[in-house]
Amino acid sequence: MLKSFKIIAILEGISYLVLFFNMLLIKPSNMELYKNLLYPIGMTHGILFIGYILLTALLKNSQEWNYKTSFIILGASLLPFATFYVEKKYLRNE
């Protein structure tokens, strides 16, 4: 399950960045392309986000993470690039 979490963490971070790219760079220049990309990108990111949160909750006990570590890992899903940091710092050694 930890390997799945690592993959989900990386994919969630990538989808978050793609969503920002779509909102910040494509929307001002091409509204039609933005509208066509928003739903599939947003849905993919949403599914990965929910998977990230659920796997964090499931792995908390099996990996013996304390509350501080769990909240750092959960909070990383809200910041761009933070899931990459979590994967490197908290999951690389396991």
Side-chain angles (χ1 to χ4, degrees):
M1 190 178 317
L2 186 61
K3 186 173 182 173
S4 298
F5 183 68
K6 290 179 182 184
I7 293 169
I8 293 289
I10 296 298
L11 291 175
E12 197 272 337
I14 291 170
S15 72
Y16 199 20
L17 295 176
V18 169
L19 190 61
F20 273 135
F21 174 79
N22 184 42
M23 289 171 33
L24 298 175
L25 299 177
I26 295 176
K27 184 179 180 181
S29 63
N30 190 343
M31 186 59 97
E32 190 63 36
L33 180 60
Y34 167 77
K35 288 179 183 178
N36 291 334
L37 292 176
L38 184 62
Y39 181 77
I41 294 171
M43 181 62 76
T44 302
H45 174 69
I47 291 168
L48 290 168
F49 178 78
I50 291 169
Y52 184 90
I53 299 299
L54 290 175
L55 284 173
T56 300
L58 292 172
L59 287 171
K60 182 192 177 304
N61 291 331
S62 67
Q63 296 299 313
E64 298 177 356
W65 292 334
N66 59 24
Y67 284 107
K68 180 182 176 185
T69 302
S70 298
F71 284 124
I72 289 171
I73 292 171
L74 286 172
S77 66
L78 303 175
L79 301 171
F81 299 105
T83 57
F84 304 120
Y85 170 77
V86 164
E87 196 276 329
K88 183 175 181 169
K89 178 157 171 102
Y90 293 100
L91 306 175
R92 187 61 54 135
N93 298 332
E94 298 178 25

